[in-house]
Amino acid sequence: MNALSQEHCEACRADAPQVSDEELAALIREIPDWAVEVRDGVMQLERRFVFPDFAQALDFTQRVGQLAEDAGHHPRLVTEWGSVVVTWWSHKIRGLHRNDFILAARTDNCFNG
Ligand SMILES: C[C@H](O)[C@H](O)[C@H]1CNC2=NC(N)=NC(=O)C2=N1
């Protein structure tokens, strides 16, 4: 269980700062299976999870969806036969907040069981 996943998410606020370059470098090391993507100028965390069939991909999707609802912070989830691509970013600040790293770590917990 990643220590980051145990941290508290703070409430999403439009004036919250994005992570600094230094924070990004430190935090991404704690979730080594995730990539940093930039889309339309918005920095995001993304990981593709592979499953043997659609049913297990869907079950994982449900678990991630529930953790998002519990946290009040939501990812993009692309569920297909055999895989789920999970993308985290903070819409309000159009970038990455510490919350996104915490929830990416919690997403890994959903995969690792
Ligand atoms: C009103 C509601 O709490 C907010 O819109 C939340 C919902 N979930 C969210 N999820 C993400 N990823 N970013 C947000 O800014 C966000 N805002």
Side-chain angles (χ1 to χ4, degrees), residues 41-103:
V42 178
M43 205 174 280
Q44 304 172 333
L45 297 173
E46 189 158 286
R47 182 181 174 184
R48 181 171 184 263
F49 295 84
V50 176
F51 299 92
D53 54 34
F54 186 79
Q56 291 185 58
L58 189 57
D59 178 62
F60 171 75
T61 302
Q62 293 283 356
R63 292 203 299 277
V64 177
Q66 188 57 58
L67 84 82
E69 280 292 282
D70 294 347
H73 199 73
H74 304 85
R76 179 172 59 229
L77 294 165
V78 178
T79 302
E80 306 176 88
W81 192 101
S83 74
V84 181
V85 177
V86 183
T87 308
W88 288 101
W89 77 99
S90 294
H91 309 155
K92 282 196 181 63
I93 63 173
R94 288 183 49 79
L96 289 176
H97 186 278
R98 189 178 186 85
N99 290 347
D100 298 302
F101 292 84
I102 293 168
L103 291 168

